[in-house]
Amino acid sequence: MSGGLPSRVTLVDLASVHEPRGSLHVAELGAALPFRVERIFLVGDVPPGTRRGEHANIGCHQLLVAVHGEVTVEVGPGADAGSVVLDHPGVGLHIPPLVWASQVYGPSAVLLVATSSTFEHEGHIHDPADPRLRWD
């Protein structure tokens, strides 16, 4: 992690079971997930170095997990900015509503995103200077 993260943005260790046949990483409601999941999507085939996201959700929580490769998640502009590299499927990043975030993808990265609501274009803030955003 570099630059620190706002206190409301937290890394979440997923429950993991490791055995000779492979590993299982689990995010259960109440344990790793502070919200009920309404939508799950994967982002992949992103050219390395590409920035995606670049918005805040008004009422939606997100849990981001790099299921393959490396994704750098940046939150907040300017002096309030912080970042974390997600590079293991056993760790997720919880981004609550009203926190600006973007992601920069490494080679062959695949990001899983679990959200607390379905997609609504009106539910996004696309201006990092919007006064509704919270950094604490």
Side-chain angles (χ1 to χ4, degrees), residues 6-79:
S7 62
R8 298 180 333 117
V9 177
T10 55
L11 285 172
V12 176
D13 289 320
L14 305 181
S16 297
V17 177
H18 305 282
E19 59 176 53
R21 298 178 299 158
S23 298
L24 174 70
H25 306 286
V26 180
E28 292 183 348
L29 185 63
L33 288 172
F35 59 89
R36 181 170 301 282
V37 175
E38 293 291 328
R39 181 174 185 240
I40 296 173
F41 60 93
L42 294 166
V43 181
D45 299 323
V46 179
T50 299
R51 180 179 303 277
R52 292 186 50 105
E54 297 188 292
H55 67 270
N57 290 292
I58 294 173
C60 181
H61 290 261
Q62 296 183 320
L63 181 73
L64 283 59
V65 179
V67 295
H68 187 267
E70 182 177 288
V71 178
T72 300
V73 181
E74 300 172 349
V75 295

Side-chain angles (χ1 to χ4, degrees), residues 55-127:
H55 67 270
N57 290 292
I58 294 173
C60 181
H61 290 261
Q62 296 183 320
L63 181 73
L64 283 59
V65 179
V67 295
H68 187 267
E70 182 177 288
V71 178
T72 300
V73 181
E74 300 172 349
V75 295
D80 295 318
S83 67
V84 64
V85 175
L86 299 177
D87 60 0
H88 188 277
V91 177
L93 184 67
H94 172 227
I95 301 175
L98 301 176
V99 174
W100 181 270
S102 63
Q103 304 86 42
V104 178
Y105 287 72
S108 302
V110 177
L111 185 70
L112 179 139
V113 183
T115 68
S116 64
S117 63
T118 58
F119 178 78
E120 295 178 7
H121 185 69
E122 303 79 32
H124 294 92
I125 297 171
H126 295 281
D127 178 1

